[in-house]
Structure formats: C-alpha cells, structure tokens
C-alpha cells in the first residue's frame, strides 16, 4: 500500500480528472489524501480519500474566476490571456501549495510519499528547486491539458500551428519558441522565478510551459501519441497513458426523449463543455440554428441549468447526459474543444466539428483536426452557415469517421488508471532501493 497525495488546482477541468485518479487509487487499496480547493471538499471526500484544503490563496474557487479576476473579460483569447491565467491561477498559488504539501509530508513521519498532481499544480516546484523542505519520494505529473512542452519539431504552444520537422521547419520552430519564451511569456517567466525564489528556492526553473512536463520525476499525459504532434526531442520521462473514461458526474435520470436518440437514423451532439459554457451564443445556439432542418436528431448538452432562445423542432436539450451513453449513438460531435470531451469522443470513434479559442482550445482543436478526425473552424463564434457546411462535410466524407475509429482502437490499448498506479509503485520502489 502506497501513501499518495493527489493534488489539483481548484479548477473544474483540472480537479475532475484527479478526482477519478484518487478514487481509483483508493479502490486499489492505497492511502490517499486529496488536496485542492475547499469548493471541491464534498466531491473529494466522495472518493473515499482524506481531504485537506489547500492553504491561503491557493484555496480559491475556480468557478468564480470572473468575480476573482474581472479584468480577464477584457483580454482577448491568445497569448496575453494564456499568460494572465498562468501567472494568477498556477504560479501565484505556488507558495501556499508548497506549504500544504510540506505539512502533509511532515505528517507522514518519514514514510515515503508520492505526490500525484495535475499539469497546472506547481506546489512541488519549490522543494525540487532547492527550497527548504522534504522532497516527496516521487513526484508524478498528470497531463490534463494538451502537452505544453516545446520542441524543435513544433511551433510554440498556443498558436495552433501544425508540426514541421523538416530542416527549415525546425529552424523556424527554434526561433519561434525562443521568441515566445523571451518576448511573449518573458514577464510570466520572470514572475515564475520571483514567486519560486520567495519560497527559498535556489535553482533556476525551466520555462514554465516546459517545466510542467519536465519538472516531475515522471509525466503521464492523459492522451495517446497519435493525438499529439510527434516530437523527436520528447523527454523519456513523458509517457502517453490514454484518456480517462467518462462518467465523472453523478448520473441523474435520462430525459424522457432518450428513446428518440436510440431510434434516430443520425444524431448530432452539440456541446460547450462544463467550463466555457457561460455564453451559448458562441456555439450552441448557432449550431442549433444551422442544423434546424438537417435530417438528424440534434442533441444539445448544456453542462448547466439554462434556457436557450431557440430550440428547433429537430433538437433536444439536456443539462447533462453521460458521454458513455450518448456517444455510442452519435454521428458527429460539435464542440468548443474541451480536452477531456474531445478525447472521450475519439475513444468512441466519433468525428467532430470544433470551434473554440479560449484556455487551451486553440491547441486542442488544431491537434484533433491534424489527426483527420475533425474539421476545425478556428473561431470562438462560428457562423451558422460554416457550422452547417462542416457538419455536412463530416457526415458525407467517411475519412473523418475512419480516422476517429483508428484513434479509438489506440485508446483501447491503454489503461490510464493502471499506468498511474504502476508508476507510483515503481518510483516508490526505486526510491526505497536507493536508500538501501
């Protein structure tokens, strides 16, 4: 039995995968402590793990970001918005995250502890860069967003550009990555160094976006290699372990029209996920308008309680339907590109039409389109005519379904829960062997 601390930023898309990881480790008999924001106490305790809230400013409510950071509304999607989020959501909480981890490790009384954290949790950085404290026996990162690490084979993260490993492409990529590090994210990196030094750290950290994958002893990306760009210089510590299964939310009763889904000749699902769903005029409403006379049943899942302005006769609306029930009946998913949702779709062999630019979605939508399993509209607010054209293209061209089906087979070859537990036990055993 291992002693594991599962740590997550208190943001829904970062905590939810780690909740599933914690629940699985508990089921496998390990002693698990979950630390995240108090807002997720009930969900964390439901895993069977012990819950300890993060300290100080790290204990914020990721669902209240517009109130916490009203200035975010004035920053357009792109590098500036990404830098703002990195500084305030993932770097500023570092000292309090570090203090929380150190208190939990001290409670262990010398027993080896593995820290398993999601991409954006930086609380292990200080002690790994020379700050006073006890180093965990193992630090394992879990990739809940697209892999952010830079490479000479890829353009900088956030630009949504395809890979290019030709000699000319690598030269351009090296120059572009250097420019982005120094010019676009220069102030963010300086801020990271300052915050890290405030904890007593003495070593210089890597570039923040690189460090998210490079700093942990092992980094387990919740995806498959074929849904990411090939990188010839990827560190050996990075592994692809497949996507987590759906079903994180409690399932309520299915809507009364569920039998229509099972009987429909074609089903198109429309969703803005569970995070970027405050304004349904971005994608859900344009998609419903666009598909109003399509010979298909259109199902919109809203992710929250809401009323839409217009619901065509061929459309049905629900707050939530588990993807593991809905996707087997789905011919096309129209999505804003949430990382977990698109991988669940691919795991069921469902092709997509994607339109999203916020958070990490510029990268998600570009990478899925690069696989051949989606049409990327590359906008936050698509025109209804563009949505209609893209859906008809995916329905008519079997190559999209073929690409998605091939990717589904690759997902089937992975068991992320098994990979995470195996990594925990492997690294703890290696550390114990070194001590003896």
């Amino acid at each position: 039995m291992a002693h594991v601390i599962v740590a997550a930023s208190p943001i829904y898309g970062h905590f939810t995968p780690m909740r599933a990881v914690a629940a699985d480790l508990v089921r496998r008999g390990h002693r698990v402590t979950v630390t995240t924001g108090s807002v997720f106490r009930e969900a964390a305790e439901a895993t069977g793990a012990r819950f300890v809230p993060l300290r100080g400013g790290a204990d914020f409510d990721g669902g209240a970001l517009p109130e916490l950071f009203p200035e975010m509304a004035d920053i357009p999607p792109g590098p500036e918005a990404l830098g703002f989020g990195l500084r305030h959501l993932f770097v500023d909480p570092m000292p309090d995250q570090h203090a929380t981890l150190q208190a939990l490790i001290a409670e262990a009384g010398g027993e080896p502890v593995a820290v398993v954290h999601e991409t954006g949790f930086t609380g292990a950085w200080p002690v790994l860069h020379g700050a006073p404290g006890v180093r965990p026996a193992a630090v394992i990162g879990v990739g809940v967003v697209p892999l952010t690490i830079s490479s000479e084979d890829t353009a900088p993260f956030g630009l949504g550009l395809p890979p290019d490993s030709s000699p000319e492409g690598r030269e351009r990529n090296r120059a572009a990555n250097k420019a982005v590090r120094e010019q676009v994210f220069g102030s963010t990196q300086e801020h990271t160094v300052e915050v890290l030094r405030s904890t007593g750290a003495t070593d210089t950290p890597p570039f923040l976006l690189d460090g998210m994958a490079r700093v942990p002893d092992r980094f387990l990306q919740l995806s498959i290699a074929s849904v990411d760009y090939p990188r010839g210089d990827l560190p050996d510590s990075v592994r692809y372990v497949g996507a987590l299964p759906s079903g994180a939310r409690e399932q309520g009763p299915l809507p009364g029209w569920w039998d229509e889904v099972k009987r429909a000749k074609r089903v198109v699902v429309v969703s803005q996920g569970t995070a970027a769903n405050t304004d349904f005029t971005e994608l859900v409403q344009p998609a419903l308008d666009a598909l109003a006379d399509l010979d298909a049943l259109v199902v919109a899942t809203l992710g929250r309680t809401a009323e839409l302005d217009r619901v065509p006769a061929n459309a049905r609306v629900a707050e939530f339907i588990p993807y593991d029930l809905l996707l087997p009946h789905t011919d096309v998913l129209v999505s804003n590109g949430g990382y977990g949702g698109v991988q669940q779709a691919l795991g069921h062999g469902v092709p997509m039409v994607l339109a999203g630019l916020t958070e990490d979605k510029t990268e998600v939508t570009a990478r899925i389109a690069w696989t051949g399993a989606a049409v990327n509209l590359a906008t936050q607010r698509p025109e209804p005519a563009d949505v209609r054209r893209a859906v008809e293209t995916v329905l008519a061209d079997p190559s999209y379904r073929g690409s998605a089906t091939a990717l589904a087979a690759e997902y089937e070859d992975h068991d992320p829960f098994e990979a995470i537990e195996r990594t925990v036990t492997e690294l703890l055993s290696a550390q114990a062997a070194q001590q003896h």
Side-chain angles (χ1 to χ4, degrees), residues 70-336:
E71 61 269 40
M72 289 180 69
D74 298 323
I75 306 175
E80 183 182 358
L82 179 58
F84 183 94
L86 289 171
R87 291 192 299 275
H88 294 287
L89 303 181
F90 304 122
V91 176
D92 285 346
M94 184 194 299
D96 288 321
Q97 291 176 353
H98 167 64
T100 305
L101 290 183
Q102 286 300 305
L104 292 174
I105 293 170
E107 286 181 7
E111 178 185 0
V113 176
V115 173
V116 180
H117 67 80
E118 49 82 19
T119 307
F121 187 93
T122 58
W125 279 45
V127 75
L128 298 180
H129 288 87
V134 178
R135 189 199 194 284
V139 178
I140 301 164
V142 177
V144 301
V145 300
L147 194 63
T148 59
I149 194 167
S150 61
S151 167
E152 66 178 7
D153 293 322
T154 64
F157 181 86
L159 299 184
L161 297 176
D164 186 350
S165 59
S166 68
E168 299 79 10
R170 284 179 170 173
E171 184 176 350
R172 285 193 299 270
N173 291 333
R174 283 191 289 266
N177 279 303
K178 183 175 185 294
V180 165
R181 285 195 302 269
E182 296 177 355
Q183 300 172 26
V184 178
F185 292 114
S187 61
T188 298
Q189 186 64 17
E190 291 174 2
H191 185 69
T192 302
V193 173
E194 290 173 3
V195 172
L196 190 57
R197 285 178 178 165
S198 75
T199 68
T202 55
D203 300 338
T204 301
F207 175 50
L208 179 60
L209 290 176
D210 289 348
M212 288 177 170
R214 288 185 179 275
V215 168
D217 300 319
R218 190 76 55 81
F219 191 82
L220 307 179
Q221 184 66 26
L222 290 176
S223 187
I224 56 175
S226 294
V227 176
D228 202 356
Y229 300 144
R231 296 169 171 84
D233 50 2
L234 191 67
D236 291 338
S237 59
V238 177
R239 315 283 170 83
Y240 293 93
V241 298
L244 295 175
S246 58
R249 291 177 55 170
E250 290 296 324
Q251 179 186 333
L254 291 169
W257 42 262
W258 177 246
D259 281 345
E260 295 182 54
V261 174
K262 295 191 289 185
R263 293 194 306 265
K265 181 176 66 174
R266 294 192 303 189
V267 175
V268 178
V269 173
V270 181
S271 175
Q272 285 183 214
T274 55
N277 63 359
T278 58
D279 183 0
F280 292 120
T281 67
E282 290 182 342
L283 180 59
V284 170
Q285 191 66 67
L288 293 184
D289 293 342
L291 305 175
D293 61 349
L294 185 72
D295 183 17
L297 181 67
V298 180
V299 177
T301 60
L302 304 184
R304 63 181 177 88
T305 302
E307 295 288 336
L308 299 177
D309 292 337
R310 297 174 301 281
V311 179
N314 69 336
R316 305 291 181 267
V317 179
E319 178 180 343
F320 174 73
I321 300 175
Y323 266 5
D324 58 346
L325 299 181
L326 182 57
L327 289 172
H329 302 284
T330 302
D331 294 278
V332 182
L333 171 65
V334 180
S335 166
N336 62 350

Side-chain angles (χ1 to χ4, degrees), residues 246 323-330 342-351 401 404-405 407-408 411-412:
S246 58
Y323 266 5
D324 58 346
L325 299 181
L326 182 57
L327 289 172
H329 302 284
T330 302
V342 299
Q343 293 200 90
Q344 289 172 30
L346 293 176
H348 285 84
V350 177
R401 171 68 72 167
T405 300
L407 293 170
Y411 280 105
E412 281 291 325

